[in-house]
Amino acid sequence: MTNVQKGATPTTTEETPSVPGWVEPALDDILATLPIEREKLAPLRASYLDCLAGCGRAEDLDMEHDACRKGLLRALTDTLGLAPAAARTLEQQLEKLELDISAQV
């Protein structure tokens, strides 16, 4: 049976979308300023990183980053009750992070 017949499985050499290595610690530093438990933030953090990793490398990168950021902010305010002032501060910090990512692409 060939790989085509049985279905190909990913190997450790296959590339998957990911963010640059410095992004996760930078995001952790940003999220650490929030008055929300790390365990509650974990799934939202992972979703945001996955979203950023899936962003294209074209001219619409800023628009894609905006969608990721807005999704995270919406989830934080709707499900975890993040205050509007904290959301604005977080949005500015995430925008800076996303600009840094764009600058390195």
Side-chain angles (χ1 to χ4, degrees), residues 9-21:
T9 55
T11 67
T12 56
T13 58
E14 291 185 42
E15 290 189 31
T16 57
S18 64
V19 295

Side-chain angles (χ1 to χ4, degrees), residues 5-6 8 13 17 20 23 31-32 34-35 42 47 57 60 70-71 83-84 87 91-92 99 101 103-105:
Q5 292 170 322
K6 66 180 178 179
T13 58
V23 173
L31 295 178
L34 297 176
S47 293
R57 303 291 181 244
D60 62 348
K70 288 177 183 177
E91 182 171 26
Q92 292 169 347
L99 285 172
I101 294 169
Q104 293 193 13
V105 174

